[in-house]
């Protein structure tokens, strides 16, 4: 099922006046696609999802689900008639019911009720998909947090919706459970072939789950693309800083396209006019620590901190009045306070025309 959002705007009244939560975004979800809205709190991602769900009515714009208009200012289709399954941050399970009874609720109440004979097979099918079929008769209060979230997922898919909307569904889980649930979510949505719109502020969730990621800020989409595109080629310093870690270095473009920086001359072939102030960016994992000796594209600094992260070691190195972070697999033998040499490959630099994001 395809979802199209055109010119969507939504504002809310506050004590200080009206705040525009969504400021005219355009978005298309293709059939079977898993699309992630990623951004900080207050960026408009949840409001966008709620408008698609029909839980909020747009002020302006048009929303189409499978070619049918569900909100355009004149027509408004309520959420129960949009063939959409929803999963939220809160598990919202009924504590006095069993697992199976919780999952069966959408089939016994509301617009999508089915014949009694269909309920048990539908519930069994949904529980099997989330791997809870062995716990069908157990009181839901006896389940772990991850299992309760899977009950919520089963309840969302038991009606066989064509669209699945999820708003921060893993944020209440601990780190290990989030890891396993990400795998389960990806497996489940691929098995169902359902079009999925997923909201999160967690970059790891966005990059690991999404076929496409939309980075939002202040009610607008700054960039959308595959996880690799957004990570490797961020359009500005905000996206670069929000989607992963990034070292930022101020500089000025030279006539030959190189950039003068506090680290010295960087031969990164900037395309801006000579004299233009730019910001260079490099991911910490692209930096390596080098042994003593002449190495092209290297700088000398002082090691200020080192943190063992398992597969890598994070180094904080002071150089040229700046603090750079490197995540290296081969850590130098230098102790804190001693000199260290870093290799910053010229093809790993990104050139931005804005100051680093706060």
């Amino acid at each position: 099922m395809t979802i199209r959002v055109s010119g969507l705007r939504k504002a809310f009244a506050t004590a200080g006046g009206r705040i525009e939560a969504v400021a005219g975004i355009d978005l298309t979800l293709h059939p079977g696609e898993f699309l992630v809205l990623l951004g900080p709190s207050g960026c408009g991602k949840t409001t966008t999802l709620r408008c698609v769900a029909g839980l909020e009515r747009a002020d302006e714009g048009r929303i189409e689900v499978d070619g049918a208009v569900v909100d355009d200012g004149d027509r408004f289709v309520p959420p129960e008639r949009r063939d959409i399954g929803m999963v939220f941050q809160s598990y919202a399970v009924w504590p006095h019911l069993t697992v199976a009874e919780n999952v069966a609720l959408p089939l016994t109440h509301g617009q999508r009720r089915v014949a009694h004979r269909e309920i048990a097979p539908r519930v069994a099918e949904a529980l099997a998909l989330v791997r809870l079929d062995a716990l069908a008769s157990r009181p839901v209060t006896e389940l772990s947090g991850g299992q309760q979230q899977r009950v919520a997922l089963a309840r969302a898919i038991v009606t066989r919706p064509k669209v699945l909307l999820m708003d921060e569904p893993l944020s209440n889980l601990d780190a290990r459970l989030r890891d396993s649930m990400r795998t389960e979510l990806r497996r489940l949505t691929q098995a169902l072939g359902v079009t999925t719109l997923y909201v999160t502020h967690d970059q790891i969730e966005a990059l690991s789950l999404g076929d496409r990621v939309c980075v939002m800020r202040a009610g607008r989409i700054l960039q959308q693309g595959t996880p690799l595109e957004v990570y490797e080629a961020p359009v500005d310093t905000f996206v670069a800083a929000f989607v992963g870690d990034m070292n930022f270095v101020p500089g000025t473009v030279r006539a030959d396209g190189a950039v003068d920086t506090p680290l010295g001359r960087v031969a990164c072939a900037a395309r801006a006019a000579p004299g233009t102030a730019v910001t260079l960016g490099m991911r910490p994992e692209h930096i390596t620590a080098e042994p003593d000796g002449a190495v092209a594209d290297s700088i000398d600094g002082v090691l200020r901190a080192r943190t063992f992260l398992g597969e890598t070691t994070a180094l904080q190195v002071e150089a040229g009045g700046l603090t750079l972070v490197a995540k290296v697999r081969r850590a130098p033998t230098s102790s804190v306070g001693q000199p260290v040499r870093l290799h910053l490959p010229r093809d790993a630099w990104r050139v931005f025309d804005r100051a680093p994001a706060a």
Side-chain angles (χ1 to χ4, degrees), residues 17-317:
R18 287 179 65 80
I19 293 179
E20 193 170 38
V22 181
I25 69 169
D26 300 312
L27 187 64
T28 299
L29 280 79
H30 304 291
E33 183 179 30
F34 196 121
L35 188 144
V36 179
L37 299 181
L38 173 66
S41 297
C43 72
K45 57 188 187 295
T46 291
T47 300
T48 300
L49 179 140
R50 288 177 64 84
C51 286
V52 172
L55 299 175
E56 301 284 354
R57 188 161 187 175
D59 295 333
E60 296 180 27
R62 180 185 181 97
I63 301 173
E64 297 178 25
V65 178
D66 203 21
V69 176
V70 296
D71 192 353
D72 68 352
D74 295 322
R75 177 175 171 79
F76 180 78
V77 177
E80 64 270 17
R81 292 174 50 204
R82 294 194 183 190
D83 199 10
I84 285 172
M86 290 178 276
V87 183
F88 300 99
Q89 181 176 351
S90 170
Y91 310 145
V93 295
W94 291 96
H96 63 291
L97 300 178
T98 66
V99 169
E101 289 168 342
N102 264 277
V103 175
L105 280 174
L107 303 179
T108 58
H109 296 75
Q111 293 283 328
R112 287 183 264 181
R113 285 176 291 183
V114 299
H116 182 76
R117 66 179 180 277
E118 294 184 37
I119 295 175
R122 290 270 201 106
V123 170
E125 177 187 48
L127 287 175
L129 282 168
V130 300
R131 300 180 181 177
L132 286 180
D133 41 321
L135 303 179
S137 60
R138 183 169 297 185
V140 75
T141 51
E142 295 182 6
L143 272 55
S144 68
Q147 289 171 327
Q148 289 188 29
Q149 190 60 284
R150 279 193 274 167
V151 171
L153 270 170
R155 189 173 56 204
I157 65 175
V158 74
T159 59
R160 299 172 183 169
K162 295 180 180 178
V163 176
L164 190 58
L165 307 181
M166 292 188 274
D167 188 4
E168 307 266 11
L170 308 184
S171 60
N172 285 337
L173 305 180
D174 62 38
R176 185 175 294 276
L177 274 176
R178 284 199 303 272
D179 289 345
S180 63
M181 282 300 297
R182 281 198 300 268
T183 302
E184 288 295 305
L185 279 176
R186 192 64 178 145
R187 177 192 65 81
L188 177 64
T189 55
Q190 288 178 334
L192 293 172
V194 63
T195 304
T196 303
L197 181 61
Y198 189 99
V199 163
T200 185
H201 65 275
D202 187 312
Q203 52 147 317
I204 295 176
E205 281 184 24
L207 297 177
S208 60
L209 286 171
D211 296 314
R212 193 155 42 101
V213 176
C214 295
V215 183
M216 294 187 67
R217 186 186 193 190
R220 293 177 171 83
I221 295 175
L222 299 183
Q223 183 174 2
Q224 56 181 297
T226 66
L228 183 62
E229 289 168 348
V230 172
Y231 186 81
E232 292 289 352
V235 296
D236 60 23
T237 55
F238 176 83
V239 175
F242 197 83
V243 184
D245 299 320
M246 182 74 83
N247 293 291
F248 291 114
V249 178
T252 303
V253 178
R254 295 161 47 102
D256 60 1
V259 179
D260 285 326
T261 77
L263 304 177
R265 177 180 173 273
V266 175
C268 58
R271 297 181 181 179
T276 301
V278 296
T279 297
L280 303 185
M282 184 176 290
R283 299 287 187 195
E285 65 270 22
H286 292 154
I287 303 175
T288 57
E290 298 295 332
D292 292 339
V295 179
D297 300 322
S298 65
I299 60 169
D300 293 314
V302 177
L303 183 63
R304 293 305 184 195
R306 60 191 300 158
T307 305
F308 179 66
L309 302 175
E311 293 184 359
T312 61
T313 298
L315 309 176
Q316 291 187 27
V317 177

